[in-house]
Amino acid sequence: MEYNFREVEKKWQEHWAKNKTYKTENSSSKPKYYVLDMFPYPSGAGLHVGHPLGYIASDIFARYKRLKGFNVLHPMGYDSFGLPAEQYAIQTGQHPEITTKTNIARYREQLDKIGFSFDWDREVRTSDPSYYKWTQWIFIQLFNCWYNKKTNKAEKIETLVKTFETTGFKGTEDDILTGDLEVYHDGFTAEEWSGFSEATKEQVLQQFRLAYLSDTMVNWCPQLGTVLANEEVKDGVSERGGYPVERKLMKQWSLRITAYADRLLNDLEGIDWTESIKEAQRNWIGKSVGTSIRFSLTPGPSPKERDNTPGYQTANKAIWERLKSNSRENRKNQTEAEELLWEQVRDRKLGYKIRRQHAVDQFIADFICLEQKLIIEVDGEIHNYQQEYDEGRTYLLEEIGYRVIRFTNNSVKENINWVCDEIAKALQSPLSFGEGAGGEAFVEVFTTRPDTVFGVSFVTLAPEHELVAKITTDAQRKAVEEYVTFAKNRSERERMADVKKITGVFTGAYVAHPFTGKKVPVWIGDYVLAGYGTGAVMAVPAHDSRDFAFAKHFGLDITQVILPPSPLEKGPGDEAYEAKEGKLVNSDFLDGLEVKAAIKKAIAVIEEKGLGKGKTNFRLRDAIFGRQRYWGEPIPVYYKDGIPHVLSESELPLVLPEVDKYLPTETGEPPLARAKDWKYKGEYEYEYSTMPGWAGSSWYFLRYMDAHNDKEFASKEAVNYWQNVDLYMGGAEHATGHLLYVRFWTKFLYDLGLIPVIEPAKKLINQGMIQGRSNFVYRLGFVGHIENDGKDNKIFESLPSLFVSKKYFDNQTEYNTEIFARHSKILKENNIASLPPIRYHVIIPLHVDVNMVENDVLNIEAFKNWREEYKNAEFLLEDGKYICGSEVEKMSKSKWNVVSPDSMVEQYGADCLRLYEMFLGPLELSKPWNTNGITGVSNFMRKLWRLYHTTDWNNTPLLWRGARGEAISNEPATKAELKTLHKTIKKITEDIDRFSFNTSVSNFMICVNELTEQKCNKREILEPLAIIIAPYAPHIAEELWSKLGHRESITYAVFPECKEEYLVESSFNYPVSFNGKTRFFQEYDRSLSKEEIEKEIMTLEQTQKYLEGKTPKKVIVVPNKIVNIVI
RNA sequence: GCCCUCGUGCUGAAACUGGCAGACAGGCUAGACUCAGGAUCUAGUGUCGUAAGACGUGGGGGUUCGAAUCCCCCCGAGGGCACCA
């Protein structure tokens, strides 16, 4: 009886489902083991052969652990919110819930066919309100918490409010601040806090909440109509769809993942994840330890040095004569108020020189302080009539760097003291220093190399840096403004694509070197990022390649301060020396120190002198949490007087409302704004954005532990029992997205004492991608004739398509004439009047459905029927066949290279597919799908079946002799049989333990080959064999198991132990090598000592032959391994 | 540019801790059986060589009695990060 996999597999799949064979309880005397798979997004395309790779591996492991006596949790569910379903909904108007349901049903059907041992009673769907109720609940916890730097964990916001009430807040330097607050704000006292309005209090608290609303630069994708998180953007375009993404300032919900940056980084040490994923996470978090250093803004060079024009000549020269006479006229006709004020401000009474009736550009200012670029205007009643004119004037003056403050005649007359105070305040304010700035004003830079501080030859600011406008000198203003505009309009993408292009401009301003006091010029360059560090760098061209390139490009100084330990191949003028090795030179108090010591000392001195502070920066940004989309979890927030409030737990879930269309409103609001009468308590507006795709998947591993709990996200007992995932199988594509967020949420829930673990998964394996192998056909695309006037093209398009076989495409010039001849023939056949001769042509490769191609030969009939336009297609063949081109690419619907597991299951059976996918190679490796070896696995299945079914070895299969397994002998097994079995048990156990599934399939093959050779039919051998193969090929194993007379499923059998005694040999066949080359073998008893073996070896005739009469220098005997004789 | 992973027959790969390189499959070659085969069975198959033998794990060097495996340099592939100071 040949193995009928169709019948057997169907039978057992139904049996497992009916008996809930894989149902798992939350308590057991057995030890627990949690095997989790990557959460699938149920796309419309269904599963392809790449998806099950990881699922098969984890299923083998889960089944193995069950046999090993563990209580195994192995669940499956769907990450069912997401963009594709919504895009489809927009196109078709169909509710995403419907498409999602259909897709899930299809996934389930496909999964069931492969025989996975999932506990389907624990299935979850993120789009199910009973699930997202708890996603919303976790969001509320995030909203209600802040990160306490002192205790280094998340705490309830009340503890922060208490601090504010008792001690207030000291501002940015206060260490209760979270790591990466982007918005700085002033401190306040406890009294001030209690005096704040609710709105102000909330605004302050928003700076601390772990889920917060703020204006941030976001990645806006106009085509998708939503913002995207950083890791959803690749190379300046959206990861899904590849649409352009722009930077935009928007009010957005964010999660303060940055608070956890350090813990996310440090805890990587303790988990057994692949190095590549850990490395990707480390890169993404991007910790750099360094220090801030302040460079004070020096009073700029004197007017003489800087420009020939004296500083006070601020007027527009073209109209200076007219302005001059006007200003003289005005001085004579001062109003009473103006006179009054003049007496108060003249002669530096307020600390700065103030001029009156001074010409600036095309205007005359009432009063002006050139030093501080402040204009003071005193307006009479007439002002009311010319308000618009004044506003224009203020605008223009501000454009060129002046601030304008206005007072009315009345206020000057009635309250001169107040006016003077206001003016004094404006003069003191650090907002404007520009040319004459000095004193407290400074540029703060961040550096990881404070040791190179004496090598600073300039300072570079990001174009967006707030100081840019203020410090730029008039002479440089135009150039700077042009540059800033250029830099701003350059999209992220251009900036990234064009890294090599060096751009920048001098501001005209200088800062003082903090140690030498030397003048250091301040430049602007877009190689400095506004969002990182302080948005400013101290440039050390000798030791930083980017600074070096900038300095070379603009001809700036390069000062070497580190002497490399060994002379460089290239001189110091050729490239930057960036290594952290060598001794400091030209560096005052750092001279002679090694780099590492110099860094320490530099930080110490900088801190001591109050020039800066040791500081750690992270590349990681807070995660933007809102999406302007419909198909996601509603954010459980409503607005009252513009202040966001979260719903209470009893009001959850906030169910996704129905909308008439899945598009933004006419006013650009997200689709949820379309929902009718969707208001909190019928009154307050809900938040209209929804959560991103990763929200639901950030905690799903917990929900599986207690999937139906409607009181909690999971019960205390469940989370304490299951702890965390023991084995997580997932793709590497989630390295910086999902896998970072799930770690973040886990740590947060741990901080709140809700779960007992700090990491979601102890071990993570990422299975490689199965790539597709695409096939191409080659269509003659365009044929140019001598007179190509478009008319010919039309004729061409009306002709049947001509497809040429691969060789014509590969060697186009060689086969030119043949192609043209065939083309002419088509012309003739279609009665086209003779066209002028062809001059050139283009051949276009097109993806063709791989299911119409076998061994790169196209099934022409199938192809013709594929599409209407190919019905009359013509083909230029080679050797009577149409040969297709091929390429390895990602498996995707659009590339027509998708192979679904269904067809494989249909043809070879689920067990065969399972074994074959494992047999392909190491799990982690990516490889293109090909079925070349599947017949080998298929044969193995047959051999395995026969091993249990026949005692006749003359190639005529015997029928099974009854249902109770009488064909199986109960006699004791031979030594050889036992050895084969136990050798296999040992290898399989080792293989599974190190996830080497491909070698275990090989070992099964070897085992079955040997047992077949031995004509083994002993129960003592065949029963354990069925068990060890059961994780890999569960259907056939169940069938054999039941035929062996068992009533219970093989799932809970006991995995056999390897008995070493069957493996021990009394002797070992030593390979004898000379100078490392194996020459012959010699068998010796295992008990022989080194010395005895050496003695024996030397007596051998063969040894003497290879010694060629020489005396060996040395004889190495490794017992039970090898003998090596050195001559 | 930096970081990670990897490089072994015609192909997928094995060799885990340094100890017989190429297990197990596929393919190919020859033969058997067969109405037929994309079925089954047998034998062969790293390269060069009739053979003895020599050479062989991307290339070069090193450590070692012994290296696919460890170390250094270079080349190539895949992935991650990317003016991150």
Side-chain angles (χ1 to χ4, degrees):
Chain A
M1 185 174 72
E2 284 293 307
Y3 177 48
N4 183 341
F5 63 81
R6 279 192 193 96
E7 217 169 84
V8 170
E9 291 184 351
K10 189 162 172 265
K11 170 178 156 193
W12 287 103
Q13 281 164 12
E14 281 167 4
H15 177 93
W16 295 330
K18 209 176 91 197
N19 295 284
K20 292 200 189 278
T21 307
Y22 306 114
K23 192 167 164 53
T24 309
E25 298 301 332
N26 274 1
S27 61
S28 167
S29 55
K30 299 173 182 174
K32 72 101 188 181
Y33 201 90
Y34 188 175
V35 180
L36 184 62
D37 286 291
M38 189 162 73
F39 212 18
Y41 174 80
S43 80
L47 290 170
H48 63 64
V49 288
H51 293 114
L53 185 69
Y55 298 158
I56 293 169
S58 62
D59 193 60
I60 289 171
F61 206 80
R63 287 175 179 274
Y64 168 71
K65 280 287 175 184
R66 282 191 199 101
L67 294 171
K68 277 284 195 179
F70 286 82
N71 184 30
V72 174
L73 176 56
H74 187 216
M76 181 50 79
Y78 308 96
D79 187 11
S80 47
F81 270 136
L83 275 180
E86 181 161 4
Q87 289 296 84
Y88 189 74
I90 291 169
Q91 282 161 26
T92 62
Q94 199 170 33
H95 198 290
E97 196 175 347
I98 298 166
T99 33
T100 303
K101 273 206 175 119
T102 319
N103 292 349
I104 287 177
R106 167 114 179 85
Y107 262 62
R108 176 65 190 273
E109 193 190 331
Q110 289 183 297
L111 290 170
D112 281 347
K113 276 192 196 159
I114 306 174
F116 292 121
S117 63
F118 297 125
D119 177 359
W120 284 108
D121 285 352
R122 293 174 185 256
E123 181 198 310
V124 300
R125 299 177 185 193
T126 56
S127 59
D128 192 313
S130 68
Y131 182 92
Y132 68 67
K133 170 178 177 179
W134 299 106
T135 310
Q136 291 172 333
W137 182 83
I138 294 171
F139 174 86
I140 291 171
Q141 309 311 307
L142 285 159
F143 181 85
N144 285 332
C145 283
W146 68 295
Y147 200 85
N148 187 336
K149 269 282 168 189
K150 279 181 197 154
T151 57
N152 206 21
K153 61 178 207 159
E155 289 177 6
K156 293 279 177 200
I157 199 86
E158 286 77 23
T159 65
L160 179 67
V161 173
K162 189 140 237 157
T163 311
F164 288 166
E165 282 167 353
T166 52
T167 58
F169 173 58
K170 293 185 199 69
T172 49
E173 296 299 316
D174 204 299
D175 61 359
I176 60 173
L177 255 177
T178 315
D180 187 52
L181 259 191
E182 310 219 353
V183 185
Y184 287 75
H185 50 91
D186 298 332
F188 45 81
T189 62
E191 292 73 46
E192 281 173 312
W193 170 260
S194 43
F196 285 162
S197 68
E198 277 309 301
T200 313
K201 278 184 180 170
E202 184 47 43
Q203 243 165 27
V204 173
L205 289 178
Q206 284 287 329
Q207 311 292 332
F208 296 89
R209 296 184 184 280
L210 291 181
Y212 64 97
L213 190 62
S214 74
D215 286 307
T216 29
M217 284 303 256
V218 297
N219 303 302
W220 173 253
C221 180
Q223 268 88 343
L224 291 174
T226 185
V227 300
L228 297 169
N230 287 349
E231 65 292 326
E232 292 170 313
V233 180
K234 291 260 142 78
D235 300 320
V237 297
S238 65
E239 199 181 22
R240 275 196 194 270
Y243 303 113
V245 170
E246 44 193 65
R247 303 286 287 167
K248 196 174 166 186
L249 195 68
M250 268 178 89
K251 209 171 197 63
Q252 277 301 310
W253 283 98
S254 297
L255 298 190
R256 204 177 304 281
I257 187 172
T258 51
Y260 284 88
D262 238 342
R263 283 166 66 186
L264 287 169
L265 188 68
N266 295 337
D267 292 348
L268 282 173
E269 298 299 322
I271 46 177
D272 184 9
W273 288 20
T274 54
E275 195 46 45
S276 61
I277 288 209
K278 287 203 206 179
E279 196 58 30
Q281 294 214 344
R282 283 189 202 110
N283 285 341
W284 192 258
I285 295 167
K287 181 177 183 171
S288 46
V289 181
T291 179
S292 65
I293 306 179
R294 285 198 279 266
F295 285 70
S296 61
L297 280 148
T298 56
S302 71
K304 228 183 252 164
E305 285 173 288
R306 183 172 58 224
D307 205 321
N308 292 330
T309 322
Y312 56 84
Q313 287 187 10
T314 48
N316 185 329
K317 291 198 176 73
I319 52 169
W320 166 240
E321 285 307 320
R322 192 158 54 86
L323 286 171
K324 190 166 72 178
S325 64
N326 283 354
S327 106
R328 288 206 179 126
E329 196 63 28
N330 285 357
R331 277 185 206 157
K332 284 177 204 151
N333 299 313
Q334 293 282 285
T335 63
E336 193 190 333
E338 282 168 342
E339 279 298 342
L340 196 62
L341 189 56
W342 179 238
E343 288 306 316
Q344 297 297 318
V345 300
R346 60 185 303 182
D347 300 327
R348 291 184 169 267
K349 276 184 187 147
L350 296 178
Y352 293 91
K353 183 177 169 75
I354 295 191
R355 298 155 198 263
R356 62 171 171 169
Q357 297 301 332
H358 188 86
V360 181
D361 194 47
Q362 49 175 306
F363 309 108
I364 296 168
D366 288 342
F367 297 88
I368 185 164
C369 171
L370 288 174
E371 210 178 336
Q372 294 293 71
K373 292 213 147 191
L374 181 72
I375 291 170
I376 303 136
E377 298 273 66
V378 179
D379 305 314
E381 269 63 48
I382 189 167
H383 175 71
N384 293 336
Y385 301 103
Q386 58 169 40
Q387 208 162 355
E388 219 172 275
Y389 168 76
D390 281 339
E391 267 169 25
R393 174 172 152 148
T394 304
Y395 175 73
L396 286 169
L397 287 166
E398 279 178 354
E399 274 282 275
I400 54 172
Y402 291 86
R403 280 173 305 138
V404 181
I405 54 174
R406 294 181 181 279
F407 299 97
T408 59
N409 274 333
N410 276 346
S411 44
V412 174
K413 277 191 269 184
E414 289 168 24
N415 203 347
I416 185 74
N417 289 336
W418 173 79
V419 170
C420 287
D421 281 349
E422 286 301 312
I423 295 171
K425 246 192 247 171
L427 285 169
Q428 297 297 331
S429 126
L431 282 173
S432 172
F433 24 85
E435 322 175 8
E440 292 300 299
F442 53 82
V443 174
E444 189 171 13
V445 303
F446 173 74
T447 180
T448 54
R449 296 293 302 273
D451 55 313
T452 61
V453 69
F454 287 95
V456 172
S457 50
F458 54 99
V459 161
T460 316
L461 306 182
E464 300 92 334
H465 198 284
E466 54 169 2
L467 282 176
V468 169
K470 290 165 194 165
I471 64 171
T472 302
T473 59
D474 290 341
Q476 290 300 107
R477 188 166 302 280
K478 197 163 168 260
V480 167
E481 277 166 5
E482 274 172 14
Y483 180 71
V484 170
T485 315
F486 158 80
K488 268 188 192 153
N489 291 341
R490 235 171 133 202
S491 70
E492 284 286 298
R493 200 170 181 198
E494 277 171 341
R495 207 161 144 169
M496 276 191 270
D498 227 15
V499 167
K500 296 265 140 56
K501 199 170 153 195
I502 296 158
T503 63
V505 67
F506 180 45
T507 60
Y510 293 82
V511 288
H513 189 281
F515 293 111
T516 64
K518 264 182 23 196
K519 261 170 33 186
V520 176
V522 180
W523 283 69
I524 301 171
D526 71 355
Y527 80 97
V528 179
L529 302 176
Y532 186 77
T534 59
V537 300
M538 58 173 221
V540 185
H543 305 289
D544 181 284
S545 56
R546 295 150 306 176
D547 297 339
F548 180 87
F550 197 82
K552 272 273 169 187
H553 190 260
F554 291 107
L556 300 163
D557 293 342
I558 297 173
T559 316
Q560 191 187 356
V561 288
I562 294 168
L563 218 51
S566 54
L568 295 172
E569 285 164 38
K570 291 175 181 167
D574 298 324
E575 62 177 15
Y577 175 74
E578 294 183 287
K580 287 188 181 176
E581 264 170 70
K583 280 201 165 57
L584 274 285
V585 291
N586 302 326
S587 294
D588 193 4
F589 60 89
L590 296 174
D591 275 348
L593 289 175
E594 282 290 328
V595 169
K596 283 186 184 121
I599 291 177
K600 271 193 189 150
K601 174 132 192 215
I603 295 179
V605 175
I606 287 163
E607 288 195 343
E608 188 190 305
K609 296 201 167 187
L611 297 166
K613 231 183 147 183
K615 208 175 158 188
T616 302
N617 260 315
F618 291 96
R619 204 187 70 90
L620 184 74
R621 303 284 90 173
D622 278 343
I624 292 163
F625 199 66
R627 296 289 180 277
Q628 289 62 49
R629 286 304 203 134
Y630 175 72
W631 192 232
E633 300 87 346
I635 294 178
V637 164
Y638 65 94
Y639 293 88
K640 192 170 160 186
D641 305 323
I643 302 171
H645 294 269
V646 288
L647 303 189
S648 62
E649 190 179 329
S650 62
E651 291 163 326
L652 296 180
L654 174 59
V655 179
L656 191 62
E658 293 301 318
V659 293
D660 55 343
K661 262 194 264 179
Y662 306 103
L663 290 169
T665 62
E666 282 66 32
T667 53
E669 286 195 286
L672 287 192
R674 292 177 175 275
K676 278 210 181 73
D677 307 320
W678 191 57
K679 287 217 157 76
Y680 180 69
K681 298 203 167 142
E683 194 175 349
Y684 306 110
E685 271 181 12
Y686 281 121
E687 169 63 47
Y688 290 144
S689 55
T690 51
M691 298 189 196
W694 48 267
S697 60
S698 292
W699 70 283
Y700 76 115
F701 80 101
L702 294 167
R703 188 62 180 171
Y704 283 135
M705 296 173 180
D706 196 4
H708 305 293
N709 194 328
D710 55 1
K711 305 275 185 306
E712 295 165 278
F713 67 94
S715 73
K716 207 94 201 154
E717 297 76 55
V719 295
N720 283 334
Y721 178 71
W722 291 110
Q723 298 272 317
N724 54 6
V725 175
D726 295 280
L727 173 67
Y728 181 87
M729 192 75 66
E733 66 272 23
H734 296 108
T736 55
H738 161 61
L739 290 175
L740 202 57
Y741 294 124
V742 68
R743 294 183 61 222
F744 162 38
W745 283 36
T746 303
K747 286 173 197 306
F748 170 69
L749 294 171
Y750 171 82
D751 283 356
L752 295 191
L754 296 168
I755 56 172
V757 291
I758 57 170
E759 285 290 341
K762 291 192 190 86
K763 183 170 180 65
L764 176 144
I765 292 184
N766 43 317
Q767 89 269 22
M769 205 175 37
I770 293 213
Q771 295 140 318
R773 189 171 180 279
S774 309
N775 276 115
F776 296 93
V777 290
Y778 303 101
R779 188 164 63 95
L780 187 66
F782 169 79
V783 179
H785 298 269
I786 284 177
E787 291 157 55
N788 175 24
D789 59 359
K791 193 180 77 192
D792 296 349
N793 285 334
K794 249 197 200 118
I795 297 170
F796 174 74
E797 275 160 25
S798 70
L799 294 172
S801 306
L802 173 61
F803 291 92
V804 300
S805 188
K806 186 166 177 282
K807 75 169 182 186
Y808 299 98
F809 175 76
D810 291 343
N811 303 296
Q812 294 189 26
T813 29
E814 198 181 324
Y815 295 108
N816 244 342
T817 40
E818 232 178 293
I819 297 168
F820 293 158
R822 183 60 184 273
H823 177 64
S824 306
K825 195 172 155 234
I826 294 172
L827 287 176
K828 209 179 269 169
E829 283 165 3
N830 286 275
N831 302 317
I832 306 288
S834 64
L835 282 172
I838 300 160
R839 285 184 81 191
Y840 55 92
H841 68 283
V842 176
I843 296 178
I844 306 161
L846 298 168
H847 278 101
V848 62
D849 191 339
V850 288
N851 296 305
M852 293 188 293
V853 180
E854 201 153 344
N855 288 329
D856 289 342
V857 178
L858 180 71
N859 180 336
I860 292 178
E861 280 316 304
F863 181 75
K864 280 183 168 177
N865 292 326
W866 190 30
R867 284 186 184 158
E868 187 57 31
E869 64 260 42
Y870 298 153
K871 218 168 175 177
N872 301 313
E874 304 247 357
F875 300 86
L876 189 51
L877 308 176
E878 52 185 303
D879 304 326
K881 288 181 246 169
Y882 188 96
I883 308 293
C884 296
S886 69
E887 208 173 291
V888 171
E889 298 178 290
K890 205 179 148 184
M891 208 174 264
S892 117
K893 215 175 169 183
S894 64
K895 295 189 170 73
W896 292 101
N897 60 2
V898 174
V899 184
S900 85
D902 312 69
S903 63
M904 303 313 295
V905 168
E906 181 55 35
Q907 214 177 334
Y908 298 99
D911 284 340
C912 189
L913 175 77
R914 290 169 66 106
L915 285 170
Y916 182 62
E917 290 221 11
M918 292 301 103
F919 186 67
L920 269 176
L923 192 59
E924 319 83 53
L925 247 62
S926 285
K927 53 224 149 216
W929 175 255
N930 77 74
T931 52
N932 286 348
I934 200 163
T935 50
V937 176
S938 185
N939 286 343
F940 162 74
M941 297 285 297
R942 241 192 308 262
K943 280 189 203 163
L944 176 71
W945 180 256
R946 276 191 212 151
L947 188 59
Y948 287 75
H949 280 81
T950 178
T951 49
D952 182 320
W953 301 93
N954 294 324
N955 197 23
T956 10
L958 271 189
L959 288 181
W960 185 268
R961 291 184 189 145
R964 306 286 300 185
E966 288 87 349
I968 300 293
S969 158
N970 287 323
E971 277 165 42
T974 66
K975 228 181 138 188
E977 289 165 345
L978 284 167
K979 190 183 171 188
T980 298
L981 173 71
H982 285 270
K983 185 180 75 187
T984 309
I985 295 171
K986 189 179 178 184
K987 288 207 157 157
I988 298 301
T989 312
E990 285 168 359
D991 286 343
I992 298 186
D993 285 342
R994 65 191 166 98
F995 305 97
S996 175
F997 301 108
N998 55 329
T999 50
S1000 35
V1001 178
S1002 298
N1003 283 320
F1004 284 127
M1005 288 172 171
I1006 294 168
C1007 176
V1008 169
N1009 286 347
E1010 282 182 15
L1011 291 177
T1012 305
E1013 188 83 7
Q1014 293 157 2
K1015 307 189 175 182
C1016 174
N1017 66 339
K1018 315 276 170 46
R1019 179 177 291 272
E1020 192 184 348
I1021 302 295
L1022 298 181
E1023 278 199 344
L1025 177 63
I1027 299 171
I1028 60 173
I1029 210 162
Y1032 293 80
H1035 307 88
I1036 194 171
E1038 285 278 24
E1039 182 69 11
L1040 294 172
W1041 189 246
S1042 81
K1043 289 199 166 183
L1044 284 163
H1046 295 274
R1047 293 285 169 108
E1048 294 294 311
S1049 163
I1050 199 168
T1051 310
Y1052 297 102
V1054 176
F1055 200 86
E1057 284 292 320
C1058 164
K1059 296 213 172 68
E1060 291 284 345
E1061 65 255 37
Y1062 296 123
L1063 304 181
V1064 221
E1065 295 279 337
S1066 59
S1067 62
F1068 181 78
N1069 201 14
Y1070 280 89
V1072 183
S1073 56
F1074 293 78
N1075 288 339
K1077 279 273 160 220
T1078 308
R1079 294 302 178 177
F1080 62 89
F1081 290 89
Q1082 186 63 42
E1083 198 161 331
Y1084 289 113
D1085 197 276
R1086 280 184 181 260
S1087 60
L1088 283 182
S1089 72
K1090 271 188 188 182
E1091 292 71 27
E1092 285 167 318
I1093 292 171
E1094 184 175 341
K1095 216 164 100 195
E1096 288 289 325
I1097 286 278
M1098 296 317 288
T1099 64
L1100 290 174
E1101 202 179 299
Q1102 296 224 60
T1103 311
Q1104 294 311 316
K1105 179 184 150 201
Y1106 286 102
L1107 278 177
E1108 293 167 334
K1110 288 170 220 158
T1111 330
K1113 281 191 191 133
K1114 207 172 174 184
V1115 179
I1116 291 120
V1117 178
V1118 184
N1120 302 323
K1121 272 251 168 86
I1122 201 167
V1123 176
N1124 191 17
I1125 299 168
V1126 188
I1127 312 170

